[in-house]
Amino acid sequence: MVAALYPLPVWTALRDALPQGHALVLLARLDGWPAGCGMAQTLPDGSLELKRLYTRPEARGHGIAAAMVDRLAEHAHATGAPLLRLDTFTTLTAARRLYERLGFTACGPYAPLPAIAEGRLCFYQRAP
């Protein structure tokens, strides 16, 4: 799936530069095994963008994604970020339901989106 979203050299450069450019990088574990990840970066307006939130299929249903969003929201509050922002694909219905349940509101694009943006929805939430 990565190759469909980013050319391999771009993906490799992003991966190899971690955590550079990110305010927080999370790794969730379930029974000692990596179960999910999430990252955040500070945008020019001071808001915090949630990035690359993912839970492994076999770890879903344990509240891991919600816990990661909560931890990222805590970080936003601690650093004074006024908003949390994120985008997701229209096809990721479980993710959309989660964000709506957690109080995120759909909005228009909050930054220029790359060509791979087709089928994306943007959301925001006031930082707690």
Side-chain angles (χ1 to χ4, degrees), residues 27-37 55-56 58-59 64:
L27 175 64
R29 293 184 180 274
L30 180 65
D31 298 328
W33 292 93
C37 63
T55 303
R56 293 172 63 139
E58 60 273 18
I64 292 169

Side-chain angles (χ1 to χ4, degrees), residues 20 26-27 33 50 54 65 69 80 85 88 97 99 103-104 106 112 114-115 120 122:
Q20 181 182 347
L26 301 176
L27 175 64
W33 292 93
L50 283 56
Y54 177 76
V69 171
R85 299 183 184 272
T88 190
R97 282 194 308 266
Y99 301 139
F104 283 82
R120 283 197 183 177
C122 297

Side-chain angles (χ1 to χ4, degrees), residues 83-127:
L83 294 172
L84 298 172
R85 299 183 184 272
L86 62 87
D87 63 77
T88 190
F89 288 98
T90 56
T91 56
L92 299 176
T93 55
R96 288 177 28 217
R97 282 194 308 266
L98 171 70
Y99 301 139
E100 290 167 354
R101 182 171 54 82
L102 294 176
F104 283 82
T105 302
C107 63
Y110 50 86
L113 294 173
I116 61 170
E118 186 176 327
R120 283 197 183 177
L121 296 173
C122 297
F123 291 87
Y124 77 94
Q125 178 192 66
R126 300 245 175 255

Side-chain angles (χ1 to χ4, degrees), residues 44-90:
D45 69 357
S47 61
L48 196 69
E49 182 183 25
L50 283 56
K51 304 284 291 177
R52 295 167 185 87
L53 290 165
Y54 177 76
T55 303
R56 293 172 63 139
E58 60 273 18
R60 293 177 185 158
H62 294 275
I64 292 169
M68 286 191 295
V69 171
D70 286 346
R71 176 63 187 97
L72 293 164
E74 289 170 8
H75 179 79
H77 178 70
T79 59
L83 294 172
L84 298 172
R85 299 183 184 272
L86 62 87
D87 63 77
T88 190
F89 288 98
T90 56

